Amino acid sequence: MRDMKTIIGSRIDTSIDTGSLLVPINSLSHYIQRFSDPGLYHAHGLKEYQLSKSSSLARVAHKGRYFALTSHHQSKLADYDYDELVVTNRERSRYYSGHRAVFPIEVGENEYSFDCLVYEFTDLVRSGRIPSDVWYQIPEESRGYSTPKPIIICTVGYPSYRNHIDYESSSYPIGPNAVWGFEKEPRIVGRLSFSPISPIDFEPSGMSGSPVFAVRMEGTLLKLFLAGILTEASRTAFNFLPLNRIIPALNSIA
């Protein structure tokens, strides 16, 4: 029995409290993946090419409502309409558009200072067309205005180099990338930043909009929290819009 207690204790010590269950640290990126999706858009006017891909997105639940978050600059630079974003129900192989798009609410030095678009999918989740367990539930304690000091940071997104639509074969192979890193001093006003633990061998273009999660120590327990969404990334620095700037946008939606 003593050995059994030791084994259980060891597993707890190497697991992350996600708020709903304990996840082994070596499975954490797989767990995070459920809250990340490619940024897919309806391609109007091209019947044979019904979808186009730009950036990634994060799925979050806040106060009983369900939202997809993505970066403003990716949508704007690709000239997508705000109502064209779709999310996937992979179990049914169906794509769904949200019923509301919310424009950036902050005014800064340029149009990308906030760099976040919010799309609401509450009606689709409540009707059962999209499962509710693929949206990260922002806990009550995360709705304040301070970001805990992270031990380690992870983002999972869909870089363009391996996530592109093959129009000739009418297929779209999906492959996410996970990047782990440590907090670093940001060089962009209004952002937080982390650097990869080891050099990455790919261009992270297309990962903007990915959810950025971090792990903090609370007492003797490791806890997961949503830190923000990725906005600008290079091979050496991943900058993200912190959650404490996103929460007011979600709260402002009537």
Side-chain angles (χ1 to χ4, degrees):
M1 181 62 73
R2 184 173 60 185
D3 291 341
M4 180 61 72
K5 289 181 179 180
T6 301
I7 293 172
I8 294 173
S10 177
R11 288 184 176 177
I12 291 174
D13 289 341
T14 57
S15 296
I16 310 296
D17 181 3
T18 66
S20 57
L21 71 161
L22 290 175
V23 175
I25 193 167
N26 58 0
S27 300
L28 189 61
S29 57
H30 180 73
Y31 173 80
I32 290 171
Q33 181 185 335
R34 74 175 66 186
F35 308 117
S36 178
D37 240 359
L40 297 176
Y41 294 81
H42 283 301
H44 296 310
L46 298 173
K47 293 183 179 179
E48 66 273 31
Y49 307 138
Q50 296 181 16
L51 290 175
S52 185
K53 192 266 182 185
S54 180
S55 75
S56 303
L57 62 83
R59 303 179 190 233
V60 302
H62 179 63
K63 294 183 177 179
R65 298 166 74 177
Y66 299 86
F67 304 99
L69 310 175
T70 191
S71 58
H72 182 203
H73 74 270
Q74 289 277 19
S75 174
K76 186 69 173 178
L77 293 175
D79 199 28
Y80 292 118
D81 289 336
Y82 286 96
D83 62 352
E84 292 179 334
L85 181 81
V86 298
V87 299
T88 310
N89 182 337
R90 295 193 181 116
E91 295 177 356
R92 297 183 180 180
S93 298
R94 296 289 301 272
Y95 299 101
Y96 295 99
S97 297
H99 66 269
R100 183 199 308 241
V102 180
F103 293 79
I105 62 169
E106 293 187 345
V107 178
E109 296 180 357
N110 61 67
E111 62 180 321
Y112 301 134
S113 63
F114 184 55
D115 202 10
C116 178
L117 296 177
V118 181
Y119 300 83
E120 186 165 6
F121 289 83
T122 301
D123 290 353
L124 289 163
V125 177
R126 289 177 178 172
S127 68
R129 281 175 285 181
I130 304 175
S132 60
D133 62 353
V134 295
W135 308 81
Y136 177 76
Q137 180 66 55
I138 300 175
E140 189 70 38
E141 62 268 22
S142 297
R143 298 172 186 170
Y145 295 92
S146 62
T147 301
K149 192 73 174 175
I151 294 174
I152 196 168
I153 301 173
C154 180
T155 187
V156 177
Y158 295 82
S160 299
Y161 86 96
R162 66 178 300 194
N163 291 272
H164 60 277
I165 299 173
D166 186 342
Y167 293 113
E168 291 186 2
S169 64
S170 298
S171 64
Y172 179 38
I174 297 175
N177 279 34
V179 179
W180 292 82
F182 297 119
E183 185 182 28
K184 65 176 293 183
E185 189 69 26
R187 295 186 177 181
I188 301 176
V189 175
R191 301 287 192 269
L192 297 178
S193 182
F194 73 92
S195 57
I197 292 176
S198 56
I200 60 174
D201 60 358
F202 66 92
E203 287 295 335
S205 174
M207 291 185 70
S208 293
S210 305
V212 178
F213 285 89
V215 176
R216 72 180 190 272
M217 179 66 75
E218 188 173 297
T220 59
L221 193 62
L222 295 172
K223 285 202 166 187
L224 184 74
F225 67 94
L226 179 65
I229 66 163
L230 197 65
T231 53
E232 302 90 1
S234 67
R235 294 192 180 194
T236 59
F238 281 64
N239 301 289
F240 59 95
L241 189 70
L243 184 63
N244 60 19
R245 293 186 66 191
I246 297 170
I247 290 292
L250 301 183
N251 288 337
S252 69
I253 301 173

